[in-house]
Amino acid sequence: MNSLTKPERLHSYGAIRRLFKEGRSGFVYPFRYLYYIEEAASPEAAILFSTPKKFHKRANKRNLLRRRMREVYRLNKSLIYNSLGNHRIEIAVVYSSKTIHDYQTIENAVKKVLEQISAEL
């Protein structure tokens, strides 16, 4: 259960475009998040992590932040899966701060994002 497999990653261009066009959004510092919920035969969740080049020019810093976000999600994705029911959810988490925060700050923020989304379900 504590893995992040290929089907759990949002990678389809059409799905990403639909998410950014029709999805609902919110903000928990330092993240902007979008999510799109639809009815499905089986519960599924797909997630996308993004760190804009606009804020962090160096790829190693963007990779560090994405690794931290993925790790926190991987360990806490049960918050989403426990409340899915018969829904498919697509989530995008965008890091929107110019400073590089430590793991604990990112963990608290991602948990809050997941709790807010699961409350919406």
Side-chain angles (χ1 to χ4, degrees), residues 1-11 45-47 73-74 77 81:
M1 183 69 182
N2 282 345
S3 62
L4 191 59
T5 60
K6 178 79 170 186
E8 292 178 304
R9 295 182 188 207
L10 189 61
H11 56 276
I47 192 158
Y73 175 75
R74 186 182 70 78
K77 67 183 176 179
Y81 279 93

Side-chain angles (χ1 to χ4, degrees), residues 57-73:
K57 304 295 184 202
R58 303 286 305 254
N60 63 339
K61 293 179 182 178
R62 292 193 306 272
N63 291 339
L64 170 73
L65 293 168
R66 278 195 302 267
R67 274 197 313 269
R68 287 180 181 173
M69 290 188 284
R70 278 195 305 262
E71 179 68 8
V72 171
Y73 175 75

Side-chain angles (χ1 to χ4, degrees), residues 3-113:
S3 62
L4 191 59
T5 60
K6 178 79 170 186
E8 292 178 304
R9 295 182 188 207
L10 189 61
H11 56 276
S12 165
Y13 178 74
I16 294 170
R17 192 156 93 202
R18 180 182 61 207
L19 172 64
F20 278 86
K21 187 176 181 181
E22 301 173 16
R24 291 180 251 168
S25 66
F27 185 82
V28 173
Y29 183 80
F31 299 113
R32 176 176 174 248
Y33 64 93
L34 296 102
Y35 60 98
Y36 180 77
I37 303 169
E38 62 185 359
E39 294 291 326
S42 63
E44 297 177 20
I47 192 158
L48 164 85
F49 299 100
S50 176
T51 306
K53 196 173 186 179
K54 176 181 179 181
F55 296 143
H56 301 283
K57 304 295 184 202
R58 303 286 305 254
N60 63 339
K61 293 179 182 178
R62 292 193 306 272
N63 291 339
L64 170 73
L65 293 168
R66 278 195 302 267
R67 274 197 313 269
R68 287 180 181 173
M69 290 188 284
R70 278 195 305 262
E71 179 68 8
V72 171
Y73 175 75
R74 186 182 70 78
L75 294 174
N76 297 291
K77 67 183 176 179
S78 61
L79 294 171
I80 288 288
Y81 279 93
N82 290 340
S83 60
L84 269 180
N86 285 336
H87 294 94
R88 172 174 167 70
I89 187 164
E90 297 167 350
I91 305 169
V93 180
V94 182
Y95 193 88
S96 358
S97 174
K98 291 184 178 182
T99 59
I100 297 177
H101 293 287
D102 61 336
Y103 180 83
Q104 191 64 42
T105 306
I106 291 174
E107 181 180 28
N108 293 336
V110 170
K111 280 183 182 178
K112 189 176 266 191
V113 165

